[in-house]
């Protein structure tokens, strides 16, 4: 049992399982435990639960159930989408356009494709992390089979104009793949209206369990399987499906959809107040302050301090520097570096991400801790 007085403000890294989600999952461990692929009454019940979950997940992004493949998370879905697309469509062109601010789940998979003969062009972002649309257009070529752009960034919360990017990509007959992991449950994501052909997302970012995620693959897109085994998930993801996890993912998706508007309005209010407080501090800057950003995400930098020392002094709050997946390595974040941050400033940039149970009182205490830490570190460095 973890017992901590610290205030958790790292909801972009992961979220706790919603109590109602856990209640919904529990019977599937002990009572309705059957293999959903078994051809008997118990199996049919499990299969029904799985298909109900698929419908809940599909509804969250306005997809059809036949377009959802369950996976172990967004990383696995990214591998299925990118490697599966490349394997199936090699003859349609071996050029892909992406962006340096993508998550490692995408960047590392693209690296693997590069080693396999694909050419990857990375479009520049400006100092706010916004994709340069003119440069993007100039990179499109007849052999550009795919464009890979995330909807919202995990470190800065910056939202790209994916509808515009899709429009330009489709004019070039390129398929659009988007990492929507951080966007779902925080902003309205309508996959069809946004023109996205392939998308990946994850349960543990929306108060569902870890080890569950989904690949959205438009019915117009063909992917080649690259994992072999049974015919589960239409052969795309063989192996017995984790029914309790997917039931939890489905229920979390339904709650996220129902509570989206209320949650995002409340979070935006908290974010606005908190950013106002931070901005009043000397030499503190909010990343991409004037851009369209996730309502729960605040990235702030503190000038002229040792970023590591300051991080250790902000010891009453749980926040992240750089991306959570690499947070045990103190390297300047690749996202901030791509946005032109110098290394020292990148190392003194922190992400505060709010969740459904974050209160104004939590944020007042967090602000007090940040303010005290900055003041004390500045005093120490004057001595
Ligand atoms: C934007 C983004 N994409 C992908 C992932 C990977 O998700 P998962 O942990 O489900 O593999 C994350 C998780 O941090 C993320 O923030």
């Amino acid at each position: 049992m973890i017992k901590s007085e610290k205030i958790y403000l790292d909801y972009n890294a992961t979220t706790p399982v919603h109590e109602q989600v856990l209640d919904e999952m529990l019977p599937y461990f002990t009572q309705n435990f059957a293999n959903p692929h078994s051809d008997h009454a118990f199996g049919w019940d499990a299969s029904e639960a799985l298909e109900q979950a698929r419908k809940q997940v599909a509804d969250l992004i306005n997809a059809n159930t036949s377009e959802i493949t369950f996976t172990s998370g967004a990383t696995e879905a990214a591998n299925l989408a990118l490697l599966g697309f490349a394997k199936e469509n090699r003859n349609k062109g071996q050029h892909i356009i992406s962006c340096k601010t993508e998550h490692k789940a995408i960047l590392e998979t693209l690296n693997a494709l590069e080693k396999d003969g694909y050419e990857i062009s990375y479009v520049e972002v400006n100092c706010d992390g916004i994709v340069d649309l003119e440069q993007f257009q100039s990179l499109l070529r007849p052999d550009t089979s795919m464009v890979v752009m995330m909807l919202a960034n995990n470190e800065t919360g910056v939202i790209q104009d994916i509808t515009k990017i899709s429009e330009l990509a489709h004019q070039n007959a390129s398929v659009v793949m988007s990492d929507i992991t951080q966007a779902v449950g925080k902003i309205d994501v309508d996959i069809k209206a946004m023109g996205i052909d392939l998308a990946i997302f994850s349960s543990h970012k929306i108060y569902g369990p870890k080890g569950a995620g989904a690949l959205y693959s438009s019915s117009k897109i063909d992917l080649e399987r690259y994992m072999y085994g049974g015919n589960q998930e239409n052969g795309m993801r063989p192996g017995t499906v984790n029914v309790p996890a997917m039931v939890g993912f489905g229920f979390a998706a339904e709650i996220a959809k129902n509570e989206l508007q209320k949650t995002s309005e409340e979070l935006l209010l908290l974010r606005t107040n908190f950013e106002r407080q931070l901005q009043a501090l000397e030499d503190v800057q909010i990343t991409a302050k004037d851009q369209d950003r996730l309502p729960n995400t605040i990235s702030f930098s503190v000038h002229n301090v040792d970023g590591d020392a300051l991080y250790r002094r902000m010891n009453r709050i749980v926040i992240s520097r750089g991306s959570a997946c690499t947070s045990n390595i103190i390297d300047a974040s690749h996202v901030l570096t791509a946005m032109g941050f110098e290394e020292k400033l990148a190392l003194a940039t922190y992400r505060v991400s709010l969740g459904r149970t974050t209160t104004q009182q939590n944020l007042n205490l967090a602000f007090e801790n940040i303010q005290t830490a900055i003041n004390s570190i500045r005093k120490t460095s004057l001595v």
Side-chain angles (χ1 to χ4, degrees), residues 6 300 302 307 309-319 350 366 369-371 373-374:
K6 294 185 191 228
F300 71 96
V302 184
L310 177 57
Y311 186 64
R312 278 182 276 115
R313 282 176 200 230
M314 296 189 286
N315 53 7
R316 293 183 59 203
I317 53 178
V318 177
I319 60 172
Y350 312 93
N369 186 202
I370 295 170
Q371 187 176 34
I374 295 176

Side-chain angles (χ1 to χ4, degrees), residues 12-13 73-75 103 105 150 152 154 179 181-182 200 202 204-205 325:
N12 282 10
T75 302
H103 191 273
M150 74 198 321
N154 45 304
D179 179 352
T181 308
Q182 290 293 344
I200 60 162
S202 193
H204 73 99
K205 310 285 186 184
C325 302

Side-chain angles (χ1 to χ4, degrees), residues 33-208:
F33 58 86
N35 189 323
H37 314 292
S38 295
D39 189 20
H40 51 58
F42 281 28
W44 299 331
D45 281 351
S47 171
E48 204 176 296
L50 196 60
E51 293 320 304
Q52 151 97 352
R54 200 182 308 278
K55 169 97 178 75
Q56 290 162 317
V57 167
D59 283 350
L60 180 62
I61 60 166
N62 190 27
N64 301 321
T65 48
S66 58
E67 296 170 318
I68 298 292
T69 302
F70 282 133
T71 66
S72 66
T75 302
E76 187 185 51
N79 278 262
L80 287 182
L82 294 173
L83 303 182
F85 180 84
K87 205 168 168 196
E88 173 71 26
N89 297 284
R90 197 172 271 279
N91 60 346
K92 294 197 181 129
Q94 295 188 35
H95 179 236
I96 295 175
I97 303 177
S98 190
C99 178
K100 287 278 184 204
T101 54
E102 293 289 318
H103 191 273
K104 294 275 182 201
I106 297 289
L107 294 177
E108 291 300 320
T109 315
L110 290 177
N111 278 345
L113 282 181
E114 201 162 21
K115 288 193 188 110
D116 196 30
Y118 271 77
E119 187 189 342
I120 322 286
S121 301
Y122 292 95
V123 63
E124 300 286 328
V125 293
N126 68 10
C127 60
D128 282 345
I130 301 289
V131 165
D132 180 336
L133 286 179
E134 257 178 52
Q135 195 216 358
F136 168 61
Q137 242 179 317
S138 72
L139 288 173
L140 286 164
R141 312 190 313 219
D143 64 338
T144 309
S145 51
M146 193 185 226
V147 168
V148 184
M149 298 278 170
M150 74 198 321
L151 178 52
N153 187 273
N154 45 304
E155 292 186 35
T156 61
V158 165
I159 299 169
Q160 298 294 343
D161 186 352
I162 199 78
T163 309
K164 183 73 195 163
I165 290 169
S166 302
E167 200 184 301
L168 296 170
H170 288 158
Q171 280 166 14
N172 192 60
S174 312
V175 162
V176 175
M177 190 241 161
S178 186
D179 179 352
I180 59 170
T181 308
Q182 290 293 344
V184 286
K186 297 175 190 143
I187 58 171
D188 188 19
V189 180
D190 181 331
I191 218 85
K192 309 270 179 208
M194 289 173 170
I196 296 170
D197 304 302
L198 290 162
I200 60 162
F201 54 115
S202 193
S203 151
H204 73 99
K205 310 285 186 184
I206 59 165
Y207 307 91

